[in-house]
Amino acid sequence: MMHMNSLSTKILLLALFLIPALSGVAQKITVSDLTVEHLENPLSIDASAPRLSWKLRSPLKNILQTAYEIRVGTDKNGLTAGKGIVWKGTGKTSQSILIPYEGPALQSKTRYFWQVRVTDNQGNTSAWSDVQFWQTGLQPADWTAKWIAVSEKDTLARSPLFRKEFSVTKKIRSAIAYITAKGLYEANINGQRVSDSYFAPGWTSYRKHLQYQVYDVTASLKNGANAIGVTLGDGWYKGRIGFGSQRRFYGDTRALLMQLEIVYTDGTKESINTDESWKTAYGPIMAADIYDGETYDAREEKTGWATAGYAGGSSWANVRLLEKGTEQLVGMSGPMVKKHEEFKALKVFKTPKGETVVDFGQNLVGWVVLKAKGTAGTKITLSHAEVLDKEGNFYTVNLRSAKAQAHYILKGNEEQSFEPHFTFMGFRYVKVDGYPGELQAGDLTAVALYSDMATTGKFTTSNTLLNQLQHNIQWGQKGNFVDVPTDCPQRDERLGWTGDAQAFANTAAYNMDVAGFFTKWLKDVKADQQPSGLIPHVIPNVLGANDGASAGWADVSTIIPWDMYVAYGDKRLLEVQYESMKNWVGFISAKAKNNLWNTGFHFGDWLFYRPDDDNDGRAAVTDKYLIAQAFYAHSTQLVINAARALGKQDDVDKYTTLLSEIKKAFIKEYMTGNGRLVSSTQTAYVLALQFDMLPEELRASSAERLVENIRSYGNHLTTGFLGTPYLCHVLTRFGHINVAYDLLMQQSYPSWLYPVKMGATTIWERWDGIKPNGNFQTPDMNSYNHYAYGAIGDWMYRNMAGINSDPAAPGYKKIHISPKPGGGITSVSGELNTPYGLVVSSWKIENNVFKLDVQIPANTSATVVLPCSGDKAEIGSGSHHFECPMKSLN
C-alpha cells in the first residue's frame, strides 16, 4: 500500500467512491454482456463445448467474482422458471470469460437458452442475468438440400437469380434458413432481404471449408403463398482474384445451397430446400467483380421476382443439380460484413480537366448510393479514387488494372436509387460520368462496409495531429478488415497478406473487438499451411502452393495466436493453432543449417527508407537473413510461451534448448565482439533487442547505437514493415522514451505525422506516398489505405495511455496502468473495453502536477505505476485518482 505524504515527495492518492444513484435498495452486482464463443446470440455454433462469457458490473469497489452458477435449457420460459434445465454449471472461481459448457451432448440445429448469476468477494449475489441463447449448427448428415446452378454452363458474367414458391398453411413456431454459396449471395424472402450482412458467405479457404449462414426468418413468412429469391455473384470464388488476370481460382460455377426448416406450433416440421424444383433466370446485374466493380441495367429488372405470384416465373429455366463437393460446411466463427458510417458529399466540383468529381472527405471502403432519374438507356458511371493529382485531377493510376467502377443504366423517367451488391471500392473521390441533369451533393451518399466488429478502444490527446493519426489508424483498419485482413482495399490485390496482419494485430485488438475476426482467419492460416509447415504469403492462399515462408510474414502463424490469447484469454485458440505454430518452426528448422536460417526468399524489411539518389549509402537496407534469424527466434519463443500456457512442459524444454542454439547462431553470424551488427540499421537493432538476440551486457550499448542511428537521420525513422511495429517499444524499454516521442512527433518525411500533414485520412502504404512537391511515389505500389505502419497505435495505447495486458493473466484479468508522458503532450485519454469490462486511463498535466484517473472493471485488478517516481499501487475495481509532482519526472 502506498504511504500518503506531501506532494513534493510522495504520491497523493485520492480514492473516489462511487455512490449509486438508486432509490431504495441498490443492486450491488449485476451480470451483463453475455456472449458465446465471442458472439452475441450466435446461430451456428459448431463447438461441442461452447464457451460462455459475461461481465460483472457493480458500483462497489474491489469487486471480484468468487463463484458462478449457469443454467442452460431449450425453453426460454422454462429456464426463467427453473424448469426443463439441460445443465447447471457451477464454479468457485473468479473466471468469467470462456467458461466451457459441460452438460449433455448438444443436439444439432437446436437453440439453447442460458443465464448466469454470480457471487462476489463481498458476499453479494446477483440476480439471474437476462436470458441469452446460442444455436447449434448443422451436422453433415443434417444437410438435405442440394447444390443448384444455372441450367447451362455458367459462362456469363451476369448474376443469376434463383427462386422458389411455397405455401404455409399452419401457424409457425420458428423458421430457420441455412444458406451458403459458391460465389457470393443475397437472399430475399417475400421481397425482403433476410439479413443486413453483405458478401456472404465470406472468404475462406474454399477448398477446405465453406461457411454457411443461419437466419431466423420466422417473421418473414406469412400464411399462404411465400417466395424465396437468391442472387449470386462471382465474388472471390469465381471472379478475378490474385495477380494478373487470374479468374475462377476456386471454381467456374456459381452455386447455391439453402435449407429452410419450418417448425409449426402443432409440432410438425417442413423443409424447403434447394433442389430440382427451383427456377433460374438472369437479372439486372450484368457483371460484378471484386476488382472491377459492377454493371447494373435497370431495364433488366424483374419486378416482384422474389415475391409470391410473380407473373414472369413461367419463362424461367430449370436449375441444374451439382454434385456435393469435398469442402467442409462450417458455421460462422467471425462477424459478417455490414454497412456502417455514411458520408454525405462535401462538395461536387469540376477538375482542371473538366471532370465532375465528388469529395466525401474520408478515404473509406464500401460504395456510393446514387439517386438518379433519366431516360431509359442512360448510362451513369462512377469511378473511384483515393487522391487527386497535384493539379487537382482525378487519379487512378495506383489502382493498376482494377477498374473499380459502378455502371448504372436507367430504365425510364422515374427516380431510382442504385448501389452495388457484390463489389467494394476504396475511395475518397468519385468521378461521375453520364449523369442526367445537374449533379447535386444530395444525390450521392458514401457508405462504409467492413466486418461487424465492436469498437473497443478510444484514444485522444492534447495534440490534434496525433488525434488525426489515431483516426487514420482506425480507418485503415476498418477499410482493410472486410472479412479478411487485406493489405489494401482499392487496387487489383486486396489479399490477406500475412506480414501486414501480424504487424498490426495488437493495434487492431485495441481499436476493435477482433477476437472472432482473427479466430475465423486463423482457421484459414492453418488450412492453407502446406504439409511441410510452409505458411503462404497470403491467406486465403490464391498464389502458388510454394509462395510462402518469408520471415515476418509466415510468422503470422505464431504471432497472432499468441497476441490474441493475451488480448482475449482464449486458450482454445492456442490449442487449435498449436500444431500449426510448431509446424512453422519445424519448417524453419528443416531449412536451417547449424541452427542458422539463411536460405530461401524473403521480403525483408518491406518498404524501408531509401533516398531517391542514394550516393552515400543512406538507404536502410537490412540483411534479410539477419531478419529471418531474428524471427526464427521469435516464433520459437512464442511456441515456448504457448506450450507453457497449455501445460506442455516437454515442448517447453525442447524449444527452450532450440532457442538457445538459434541465438548463438545469430551472434556468431551477425554480431561483432563489441556488439555491432553486420547491418547497422534501425531495423537490425530493433529486432535484435526486441527478441533478446543479444547478450544481456551488450543490449544497452546496442540501444545507444540505435539512438545514434536515429539522430544521424535527423530524428527520422528508416524502418519498414518489420521494424516499425517494435521501434518505439524498444526505445522505451531501454530508457529512451524521449527518442520514441521525437520520432512520433516528427512531421517531415519519413514519419507517422508526415502523411497527416499532407492531408491523409488513412494510413499510407509508403512513408512518402505523396512527396512534398505533390508528386506520387511509384504508382504500381502506392496504396493510400494500408494499415501496417499504423502499428504505432499499439505503442500509443500501451505507453501514452498506459493500458497494458499481462500475459500471465490474459484477457486483461490483470491490468497494468503505466502512462509515460512526453513529447510536449499535456493530456491523454485512453479507453479499452476488455473481455472483463471497461478500462480507462486518462491523465493531464496541470500546474506541473500529473493527474491520473483510472477506471478498472469489476472482477479484475491492476498495478498502477506513476511516471513521477516509479512508485506502484495495487488496486481493485472502481475509479481511482492519482497525482504526483512533475518535478520528479526524468
Side-chain angles (χ1 to χ4, degrees):
M1 193 63 136
M2 283 188 184
H3 294 290
M4 313 296 293
N5 286 334
S6 65
L7 273 176
S8 60
T9 58
K10 295 291 182 180
I11 298 169
L12 174 62
L13 173 59
L14 303 176
L16 301 180
F17 292 92
L18 293 176
I19 302 174
L22 300 173
S23 61
V25 180
Q27 179 64 55
K28 294 181 178 180
I29 186 170
T30 59
V31 181
S32 64
D33 297 353
L34 278 65
T35 60
V36 179
E37 294 295 333
H38 306 294
L39 304 171
E40 182 179 353
N41 294 335
L43 289 169
S44 58
I45 291 295
D46 288 337
S48 60
R51 296 162 305 158
L52 316 178
S53 303
W54 57 89
K55 294 178 181 177
L56 279 64
R57 299 187 189 278
S58 176
L60 306 177
K61 298 172 75 75
N62 303 318
I63 290 293
L64 291 172
Q65 175 185 293
T66 57
Y68 67 80
E69 181 181 1
I70 300 169
R71 59 187 184 189
V72 178
T74 55
D75 179 77
K76 181 177 181 180
N77 295 328
L79 184 71
T80 56
K83 299 177 181 179
I85 294 175
V86 173
W87 176 64
K88 284 186 177 181
T90 59
K92 293 185 177 181
T93 174
S94 66
Q95 193 71 16
S96 59
I97 65 170
L98 301 171
I99 303 297
Y101 168 84
E102 295 178 340
L106 298 173
Q107 303 300 306
S108 63
K109 53 183 179 179
T110 301
R111 184 166 296 188
Y112 291 88
F113 298 93
W114 72 288
Q115 290 177 294
V116 61
R117 65 180 176 186
V118 302
T119 300
D120 68 22
N121 58 331
Q122 298 183 20
N124 303 303
T125 298
S126 74
W128 284 103
S129 68
D130 291 340
V131 177
Q132 298 289 84
F133 69 85
W134 78 86
Q135 185 161 311
T136 51
L138 296 180
Q139 294 298 315
D142 294 328
W143 282 100
T144 56
K146 301 174 182 177
W147 282 100
I148 61 172
V150 294
S151 54
E152 305 295 333
K153 192 172 182 181
D154 187 16
T155 58
L156 298 182
R158 296 180 68 175
S159 284
L161 311 178
F162 298 88
R163 71 183 308 272
K164 166 77 175 182
E165 289 197 26
F166 61 98
S167 294
V168 171
T169 59
K170 294 184 285 187
K171 189 174 181 180
I172 295 174
R173 176 181 297 162
S174 67
I176 305 295
Y178 304 86
I179 313 176
T180 189
K182 296 178 178 180
L184 302 180
Y185 73 84
E186 282 189 3
N188 295 264
I189 292 180
N190 294 326
Q192 300 296 317
R193 285 176 55 96
V194 301
S195 170
D196 59 355
S197 300
Y198 293 85
F199 310 136
W203 189 13
T204 58
S205 301
Y206 291 135
R207 295 191 181 106
K208 303 290 180 63
H209 49 247
L210 176 62
Q211 295 180 134
Y212 64 89
Q213 288 71 47
V214 184
Y215 308 104
D216 188 333
V217 296
T218 307
S220 300
L221 300 184
K222 59 185 180 180
N223 279 337
N226 292 264
I228 302 170
V230 183
T231 308
L232 298 187
D234 286 356
W236 299 283
Y237 184 86
K238 186 189 174 189
R240 188 154 75 103
I241 195 68
F243 296 113
S245 57
Q246 176 174 273
R247 293 182 182 274
R248 299 177 291 278
F249 180 81
Y250 295 102
D252 60 6
T253 303
R254 295 164 292 189
L256 172 66
L257 185 70
M258 177 173 178
Q259 192 160 308
L260 172 59
E261 299 200 348
I262 304 172
V263 179
Y264 297 105
T265 55
D266 64 4
T268 60
K269 300 178 181 179
E270 183 179 9
S271 291
I272 309 298
N273 297 340
T274 46
D275 59 19
E276 57 273 11
S277 68
W278 286 56
K279 299 294 183 179
T280 184
Y282 287 101
I285 301 175
M286 310 304 288
D289 184 82
I290 297 289
Y291 293 163
D292 294 330
E294 193 162 304
T295 299
Y296 185 96
D297 189 341
R299 298 170 301 180
E300 297 293 326
E301 290 177 345
K302 293 174 167 51
T303 303
W305 72 276
T307 60
Y310 169 59
S314 60
S315 63
W316 286 40
N318 294 326
V319 298
R320 175 166 49 107
L321 297 183
L322 300 181
E323 293 295 324
K324 178 183 175 182
T326 58
E327 68 281 345
Q328 181 183 5
L329 298 181
V330 298
M332 296 292 295
S333 53
M336 293 294 294
V337 175
K338 294 188 177 183
K339 289 181 175 179
H340 295 277
E341 296 89 347
E342 293 188 354
F343 294 85
K344 301 298 183 183
L346 293 184
K347 62 178 178 178
V348 179
F349 62 97
K350 293 285 186 181
T351 68
K353 290 183 177 180
E355 306 154 316
T356 299
V357 173
V358 183
D359 179 8
F360 290 101
Q362 172 65 49
N363 193 4
L364 68 133
V365 175
W367 58 54
V368 169
V369 178
L370 174 71
K371 293 187 295 185
K373 178 181 179 180
T375 58
T378 300
K379 183 178 181 180
I380 305 169
T381 297
L382 305 184
S383 303
H384 301 75
E386 296 183 290
V387 294
L388 304 176
D389 67 20
K390 66 179 180 180
E391 286 80 28
N393 292 309
F394 197 70
Y395 179 82
T396 58
V397 179
N398 69 317
L399 304 187
R400 301 190 302 217
S401 68
K403 296 184 177 67
Q405 293 179 319
H407 305 282
Y408 301 116
I409 302 170
L410 306 186
K411 67 179 179 181
N413 258 333
E414 62 179 82
E415 184 173 272
Q416 289 188 269
S417 180
F418 297 96
E419 61 183 315
H421 301 261
F422 300 123
T423 188
F424 57 90
M425 326 288 185
F427 65 98
R428 171 176 171 171
Y429 300 95
V430 170
K431 180 166 67 79
V432 183
D433 293 303
Y435 191 83
E438 183 177 355
L439 183 67
Q440 302 292 329
D443 295 326
L444 307 97
T445 301
V447 182
L449 287 97
Y450 49 87
S451 291
D452 193 27
M453 307 163 291
T455 297
T456 52
K458 295 182 181 178
F459 179 89
T460 58
T461 76
S462 57
N463 185 284
T464 56
L465 293 179
L466 288 184
N467 294 341
Q468 184 65 44
L469 173 62
Q470 169 64 9
H471 171 95
N472 295 359
I473 292 169
Q474 290 173 317
W475 276 94
Q477 180 172 348
K478 291 176 180 180
N480 283 292
F481 277 39
V482 180
D483 202 58
V484 302
T486 58
D487 59 327
C488 61
Q490 73 296 89
R491 68 187 181 214
D492 55 352
E493 196 165 350
R494 314 187 198 189
L495 304 177
W497 281 96
T498 50
D500 305 52
Q502 67 83 9
F504 189 72
N506 274 327
T507 301
Y510 274 110
N511 288 333
M512 308 183 88
D513 182 354
V514 294
F517 181 87
F518 275 124
T519 296
K520 177 251 183 189
W521 188 67
L522 285 171
K523 291 179 180 179
D524 294 306
V525 172
K526 182 177 180 180
D528 280 345
Q529 185 173 25
Q530 295 296 303
S532 64
L534 176 148
I535 298 290
H537 299 320
V538 299
I539 301 292
N541 185 21
V542 292
L543 307 180
N546 295 317
D547 289 332
S550 176
W553 270 252
D555 299 279
V556 72
S557 60
T558 57
I559 293 172
I560 293 187
W562 179 253
D563 287 347
M564 294 304 103
Y565 167 71
V566 173
Y568 299 106
D570 192 342
K571 185 178 289 188
R572 185 177 293 174
L573 179 65
L574 274 187
E575 293 170 347
V576 170
Q577 299 298 136
Y578 185 65
E579 289 303 315
S580 173
M581 297 171 74
K582 289 205 307 180
N583 289 342
W584 166 238
V585 171
F587 173 89
I588 304 174
S589 296
K591 299 293 182 181
K593 296 179 180 179
N594 298 319
N595 298 301
L596 191 66
W597 187 26
N598 59 358
T599 59
F601 168 82
H602 301 279
F603 290 109
D605 192 29
W606 190 251
L607 296 181
F608 57 87
Y609 170 73
R610 44 187 167 179
D612 289 333
D613 191 18
D614 187 29
N615 294 320
D616 62 345
R618 297 295 282 167
V621 181
T622 307
D623 187 295
K624 291 184 178 182
Y625 295 132
L626 180 154
I627 293 172
Q629 190 71 4
F631 274 95
Y632 183 15
H634 185 42
S635 277
T636 303
Q637 179 65 66
L638 294 179
V639 170
I640 295 169
N641 295 350
R644 186 173 289 117
L646 297 175
K648 298 178 181 293
Q649 188 59 45
D650 288 347
D651 280 352
V652 171
D653 296 340
K654 171 185 173 181
Y655 288 101
T656 299
T657 300
L658 174 61
L659 180 61
S660 175
E661 296 304 314
I662 293 169
K663 291 182 178 181
K664 289 177 184 177
F666 179 92
I667 292 169
K668 181 178 180 180
E669 185 77 5
Y670 300 115
M671 193 190 81
T672 69
N674 291 326
R676 181 179 177 87
L677 298 179
V678 295
S679 292
S680 191
T681 63
Q682 292 175 22
T683 290
Y685 286 105
V686 163
L687 296 182
L689 291 167
Q690 176 71 21
F691 300 152
D692 294 331
M693 304 300 293
L694 307 178
E696 187 78 40
E697 66 274 12
L698 294 177
R699 292 176 188 175
S701 61
S702 294
E704 291 289 348
R705 286 191 172 96
L706 171 61
V707 171
E708 291 170 6
N709 183 290
I710 292 168
R711 298 303 192 205
S712 76
Y713 283 91
N715 291 331
H716 289 89
L717 51 75
T718 63
T719 50
F721 276 27
L722 298 184
T724 298
Y726 306 112
L727 175 57
C728 287
H729 286 293
V730 166
L731 290 167
T732 303
R733 174 185 170 188
F734 287 95
H736 301 289
I737 193 169
N738 59 319
V739 183
Y741 269 109
D742 287 344
L743 291 175
L744 179 66
M745 304 305 295
Q746 178 63 254
Q747 296 182 20
S748 60
Y749 161 78
S751 69
W752 285 286
L753 294 184
Y754 170 75
V756 173
K757 294 284 286 186
M758 295 296 288
T761 61
T762 45
I763 298 296
W764 292 353
E765 181 177 19
R766 293 176 176 268
W767 294 118
D768 61 340
I770 301 176
K771 296 178 179 294
N773 64 3
N775 290 336
F776 294 124
Q777 254 286 3
T778 175
D780 64 347
M781 189 74 66
N782 200 19
S783 162
Y784 296 98
N785 194 348
H786 221 94
Y787 56 66
Y789 287 142
I792 185 61
D794 177 53
W795 183 87
M796 292 160 62
Y797 274 104
R798 291 182 188 273
N799 294 278
M800 296 181 71
I803 300 175
N804 289 271
S805 54
D806 184 344
Y812 293 88
K813 179 66 171 167
K814 175 71 184 226
I815 302 155
H816 292 270
I817 303 293
S818 55
K820 300 175 179 66
I825 306 300
T826 58
S827 67
V828 172
S829 179
E831 296 183 8
L832 179 63
N833 197 358
T834 74
Y836 288 93
L838 184 65
V839 176
V840 178
S841 175
S842 179
W843 60 264
K844 59 184 176 181
I845 299 172
E846 288 183 337
N847 300 320
N848 291 321
V849 176
F850 180 86
K851 301 179 179 181
L852 173 66
D853 287 292
V854 174
Q855 180 179 326
I856 301 301
N859 205 28
T860 67
S861 61
T863 300
V864 177
V865 181
L866 295 195
C868 313
S869 62
D871 286 350
K872 295 181 180 180
E874 299 296 331
I875 61 174
S877 64
S879 296
H880 307 264
H881 181 81
F882 303 86
E883 294 186 4
C884 62
M886 284 290 292
K887 68 179 184 179
S888 61
L889 279 171
N890 293 328

